[in-house]
């Protein structure tokens, strides 16, 4: 059994136990998530620090760079510690302009799963999320063909568990009718709470919800209420935002991104911040 001193304790994703405080590797690629990082050694150090601090959940995608974050993860951490689980995504490519065109046809998905296996140096991927929607968010539409393709790769033994990302509640339900879904990775934070109902519904089913952009992503969370609560607690707004997510629901797993080992340490310490009921009531006014 995995024990951890990281804030939030652990969660079991399918059969895989992970720390609820994880790490999102997207920020390790170059500007615009394209190309290599300016500080390659620094990027490798962030990954090694994450594992040294006990994090057992790293989120990545072959589309980051493309291939850059997967290759950094392999270089920094392979052979992987047994407790470490790397979660990847398929369903989008990159274009010359740095866009994220969808690539959800069966052939592209199969290619992407093999590309992830190869670049991460794995025989089986622990968890693959099917990325849906587009850069503006989830888009309605059937996921059947794409999710069936991944379920087939799972039956072939190339993937242990499946999830969906950037998905509507209807798409989550459609995917669940095809194969078990162990997590949903959507945009959510103190200021963007479109998924409140979905989070509660998933919690009832024992399914993890993994918010991307927990700190606001490319534009940091800004709110006078958040700043006021943070000042009162003598903490940073980022600490409050992460601590709030851990309190919001037990099925929420954190994957804040950073290219800095110092920020990673700060975020772990910050997520352990204790929020009072009054703090929660005040913070609850932000995204409503
Ligand atoms: N499924 C999807 O479609 C999707 C989309 C986007 C992201 N993701 C995943 O979600 C993860 C998290 O999202 P994200 O990394 O984009 O956004 P985020 O975690 O909300 O924020 C990351 C930003 O916050 C900054 N930051 C982090 N800690 C800080 C600190 N202590 N002090 C000051 N600045 C700090 C980082 O800058 P520094 O580098 O300077 O620390 C970076 O600019 C990604 O890494 C990726 O794995 C998934």
């Amino acid at each position: 059994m995995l024990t951890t001193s990281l804030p939030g304790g652990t969660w079991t994703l399918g059969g895989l136990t992970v720390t609820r405080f994880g790490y999102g590797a997207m920020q390790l690629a170059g500007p615009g998530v394209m190309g290599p990082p300016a500080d390659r050694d620094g990027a490798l150090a962030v990954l090694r620090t994450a594992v040294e601090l006990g994090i057992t959940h790293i989120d990545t995608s072959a589309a980051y760079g493309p291939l850059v974050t997967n290759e950094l993860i392999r270089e920094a951490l392979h052979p992987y510690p047994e407790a470490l689980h790397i979660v990847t995504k398929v369903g989008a490519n990159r274009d010359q302009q740095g866009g994220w065109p969808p690539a959800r046809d069966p052939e592209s998905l199969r290619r992407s799963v093999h590309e992830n296996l190869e670049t991460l140096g794995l025989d089986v991927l622990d968890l693959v999320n099917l990325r849906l929607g587009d850069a503006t968010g989830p888009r309605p539409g059937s996921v059947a063909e794409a999710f069936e393709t991944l379920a087939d790769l799972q039956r072939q033994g190339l993937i242990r568990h499946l999830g969906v990302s950037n998905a509507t509640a209807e798409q989550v339900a459609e995917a669940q009718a095809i194969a078990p879904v162990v997590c949903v990775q959507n945009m959510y934070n103190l200021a963007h709470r479109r998924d409140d109902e979905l989070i509660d519904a998933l919690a009832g089913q024992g399914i993890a919800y993994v918010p991307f952009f927990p700190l606001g992503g490319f534009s940091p969370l800004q709110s006078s209420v958040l700043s006021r609560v943070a000042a009162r607690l003598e903490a940073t707004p980022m600490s409050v935002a992460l601590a709030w997510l851990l309190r919001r629901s037990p099925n929420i797993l954190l994957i804040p991104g950073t290219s800095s080992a110092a920020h990673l340490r700060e975020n772990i310490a910050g997520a352990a911040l204790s929020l009072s009921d009054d703090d929660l009531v005040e913070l609850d006014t932000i995204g409503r």
Side-chain angles (χ1 to χ4, degrees), residues 23-27 59-60 64 89 131 165-166 185-186 211-218 238 255-260 262-264 266-267:
Y23 172 69
M26 188 178 85
Q27 303 291 340
D59 184 77
T60 185
Y64 298 162
K89 274 176 287 305
R131 186 184 185 273
S165 176
N166 217 14
Q185 184 178 124
N186 277 4
F212 72 76
F213 294 164
L215 299 170
F218 296 105
M238 293 193 175
I255 51 163
T258 178
S259 54
S260 147
H263 286 174
L264 178 62
E266 263 176 49
N267 293 343

Side-chain angles (χ1 to χ4, degrees), residues 147-167:
F147 208 71
E148 276 162 9
T149 302
L150 294 185
D152 190 40
L153 292 166
Q154 185 180 34
R155 280 190 293 273
Q156 288 174 35
L158 299 179
I159 301 173
R160 289 199 173 88
H161 298 288
L162 296 174
V164 288
S165 176
N166 217 14

Side-chain angles (χ1 to χ4, degrees), residues 187-193 211-217 221 241 244-245 287:
M187 182 178 174
Y188 182 83
N189 58 45
L190 251 176
H192 293 273
R193 299 185 53 181
F212 72 76
F213 294 164
L215 299 170
L221 283 174
W244 178 82
L245 281 170

